[in-house]
Amino acid sequence: MGSSGGEAVRSVVWVLIALVVLGVGAASALQVSGALEREREYRAAPVCAAVPVTASGCVWEQEFTVRSAAMNHGESPEAELVLPSGKPWQVTFLRTEPVMSEMEPHEKVVGVIWHGQVVEVRDAEGRRQQTSDGPLGWPEDRLGGALAGLSFGLAALTGGVWPLVARGEPRHVAAAKTVRRHGIALGGTAILTLWAQTANDWPLWAILAIWGPLALLILASMAAFALGALRGELDDGPPARRDPQPQVP
């Protein structure tokens, strides 16, 4: 009875986790289209004819002097840039490489201003890095998050509800556990694929091209293990006892 109750509690926890992750994945999926549109708008934006006085859809390159730069381990890296007029401008970054980590006080950098925000910073060596307000890379992040959240969430939800429906059926519980484990593999593979795409600057479609076949293999493995569990092939109980054979004199 205690074991059955403990499994029910674990299943409920998995269901709650699945619902949260599914919500995050669905939100990411809904943002992919908007992120793509914003990126296209930025790439097609003309150069401003003069220094923009108000937030504008054109792009303007402005020289700044670095006043300070902080890695802020565990939080968003940030830097304080100063205009020639002396006005400070605070910018944050999603990561430290390749420009932010090399910033030093009094160094000159060029900031790209778009819609009233510094969206990109370029150093003296020509290296570029998007700020937290930059539009590039967001479609890939949102797609990767959607794939990870939805794939893991659906598998976790299935693996959480299954034992609650088939209570008292050890083989069904074992099958549900295999589904949950493969769900972790699906989500983790999506995150690793996004990491590889970002590190190598591959196009958006590379995420689907890489993750799709891997996901199919994981799903095939999930189905095979779940069927094996239902047939009792994954039972980990003690081996059947054999009666000792009589010794022949």
Side-chain angles (χ1 to χ4, degrees), residues 70-202:
M71 300 295 182
N72 292 344
H73 298 293
E75 300 179 8
S76 297
E78 60 182 356
E80 186 176 12
L81 310 180
V82 182
L83 289 166
S85 64
K87 178 183 177 182
W89 203 311
Q90 202 80 16
V91 295
T92 60
F93 300 86
L94 297 177
R95 52 188 64 88
T96 59
E97 302 298 333
V99 177
M100 196 276 160
S101 61
E102 302 294 330
M103 281 186 178
E104 297 290 342
H106 310 298
E107 178 185 354
K108 300 293 184 181
V109 296
V110 174
V112 178
I113 300 175
W114 183 59
H115 284 297
Q117 302 288 341
V118 176
V119 297
E120 184 179 290
V121 174
R122 184 175 73 246
D123 63 12
E125 298 179 11
R127 293 175 299 186
R128 297 174 176 266
Q129 182 177 348
Q130 291 278 296
T131 69
S132 299
D133 295 310
L136 303 183
W138 285 102
E140 292 83 355
D141 288 346
R142 293 298 177 265
L143 178 59
L147 293 177
L150 295 177
S151 61
F152 168 74
L154 288 173
L157 183 63
T158 302
V161 172
W162 195 344
L164 297 176
V165 175
R167 299 187 67 174
E169 296 287 344
R171 292 186 178 182
H172 286 268
V173 172
K177 289 180 179 179
T178 65
V179 171
R180 298 197 297 251
R181 291 166 186 161
H182 283 80
I184 295 174
L186 283 170
T189 301
I191 297 299
L192 291 175
T193 301
L194 175 61
W195 176 82
Q197 182 274 332
T198 302
N200 295 280
D201 199 25
W202 291 332

